[in-house]
Amino acid sequence: MNPSSPKLVVVVLDGLRYDAARRYLGYMEHLTEQGEAVCHKVRSELPSLSRPLYEVLLTGTPAAQNGIAANHIARLSRERSVFHLATDAGLRTAAAAYHWVSELYNAAPFHPLTDRHQHDADRPIQHGVFYFEDHYPDSHLFADAEHLRKAYDPHFLYVHTMNIDDAGHKFGGESAQYEAAVRAADGMLASLVPDWLLRGYRILVTSDHGMSASGQHGGTAAEERSVPLYLLGDARFMLERGRGESALPQLLLAPLMCRCLGIAPSPAMVELPEASYAAPGSRT
């Protein structure tokens, strides 16, 4: 294992629509204004549902290929995820995430009494803390993630929260409760991101899908498909600047994670043209 291997934290704020991110994530937008982060708009794959998009984010493959086409399809992925590729490269992996992530990459079905805490170097997610209730507090989830980071020093840490999505389903994507959940997540990021940056982590903050005013997602509307991608640390230099309002395809996030980790994407992952990338650390 190369001790100088880059390290990456990916934060997925489930159910966060792009316009809400740009309006309510005050700390993240502060970093953007200061040049410490860049934000791109991402257009999610279809169907804009959670489990299918977890698979998209981590394997870079569409539902028509990977077969995870609905939330009720609970089985192991048949694709090579970023977790698989990282462990194959000798990197350490960890996740604090909803239990569907465990079902996709470690074991299915998920058993709450035995599978909440997982530590197995032979699995794609070597160290995991998985929750199974949508109202599990984001504050606890970020604390779980910090425990994994400090205790196991992973090269790839995946952090997946659920309270924004939960508030959206209960009260709608334009409700006061949804706004409050977004603002709360921003405060939690403000507590953690500065230390991650000081320690040299590359950071991606994104979402799987958005949320309609009526509390739904899965369809083609912009509010259900448009999500943010914040890049921090050296990661902010890895895509071309000046994309404006042109949305990135969500399929590109998995190979981007691989580039941030210094590993090769899988053959199934489709990347941007080479000219769209910059070498990490480049300031041009």
Side-chain angles (χ1 to χ4, degrees):
M1 186 181 299
N2 185 349
S4 65
S5 295
K7 293 181 180 179
L8 172 67
V9 177
V10 172
V11 179
V12 177
L13 302 174
D14 200 298
L16 176 61
R17 46 195 271 180
Y18 177 80
D19 59 345
R22 302 311 302 262
R23 188 174 297 126
Y24 304 132
L25 291 182
Y27 172 68
M28 298 299 294
E29 287 297 305
H30 164 70
L31 294 180
T32 302
E33 286 187 355
Q34 294 296 311
E36 298 301 318
V38 295
C39 185
H40 298 282
K41 180 186 288 187
V42 171
R43 186 169 184 254
S44 84
E45 280 290 296
L46 292 173
S48 53
L49 295 169
S50 293
R51 197 188 301 254
L53 296 182
Y54 302 166
E55 177 79 337
V56 168
L57 285 169
L58 285 160
T59 71
T61 60
Q65 175 179 329
N66 62 50
I68 305 295
N71 282 340
H72 67 266
I73 299 175
R75 62 161 173 80
L76 283 172
S77 170
R78 299 180 185 130
E79 304 295 329
R80 302 296 292 169
S81 72
V82 179
F83 292 116
H84 290 88
L85 299 170
T87 56
D88 286 350
L91 305 183
R92 291 181 299 275
T93 63
Y98 196 56
H99 68 287
W100 289 359
V101 176
S102 174
E103 288 184 323
L104 281 167
Y105 307 112
N106 270 11
F110 180 87
H111 299 287
L113 296 181
T114 58
D115 294 347
R116 174 159 159 70
H117 297 274
Q118 300 179 35
H119 301 284
D120 187 341
D122 293 328
R123 286 184 165 181
I125 305 173
Q126 296 170 327
H127 303 284
V129 178
F130 300 101
Y131 62 99
F132 45 88
E133 293 177 334
D134 292 12
H135 60 275
Y136 184 73
D138 285 357
S139 57
H140 292 42
L141 185 279
F142 277 111
D144 293 338
E146 268 297 273
H147 166 72
L148 291 171
R149 188 186 68 79
K150 292 177 178 178
Y152 302 103
D153 192 25
H155 297 88
F156 179 40
L157 175 61
Y158 192 77
V159 186
H160 169 231
T161 72
M162 190 61 80
N163 289 173
I164 295 170
D165 182 77
D166 189 44
H169 283 305
K170 290 175 178 175
F171 305 104
E174 297 175 6
S175 64
Q177 294 88 344
Y178 180 86
E179 175 185 336
V182 178
R183 292 182 184 273
D186 185 63
M188 295 170 209
L189 289 169
S191 298
L192 293 168
V193 165
D195 187 51
W196 293 347
L197 290 174
L198 282 174
R199 295 176 183 277
Y201 287 89
R202 296 169 179 172
I203 305 170
L204 275 61
V205 179
T206 190
S207 183
D208 50 349
H209 55 73
M211 184 70 62
S212 73
S214 60
Q216 302 296 320
H217 58 86
T220 63
E223 59 267 28
E224 299 177 50
R225 298 188 72 179
S226 295
V227 299
L229 170 64
Y230 292 91
L231 304 176
L232 300 89
D234 277 354
R236 71 190 189 277
F237 304 112
M238 297 187 75
L239 287 177
E240 65 177 0
R241 295 176 181 268
R243 293 190 63 87
E245 290 300 304
S246 177
L248 288 167
Q250 196 173 41
L251 291 169
L252 299 177
L253 269 64
L256 178 60
M257 293 177 202
C258 291
R259 282 182 172 266
C260 287
L261 287 166
I263 59 178
S266 78
M269 295 178 183
V270 178
E271 294 197 90
L272 286 168
E274 189 67 29
S276 298
Y277 295 98
S282 169
R283 301 300 190 267
T284 58

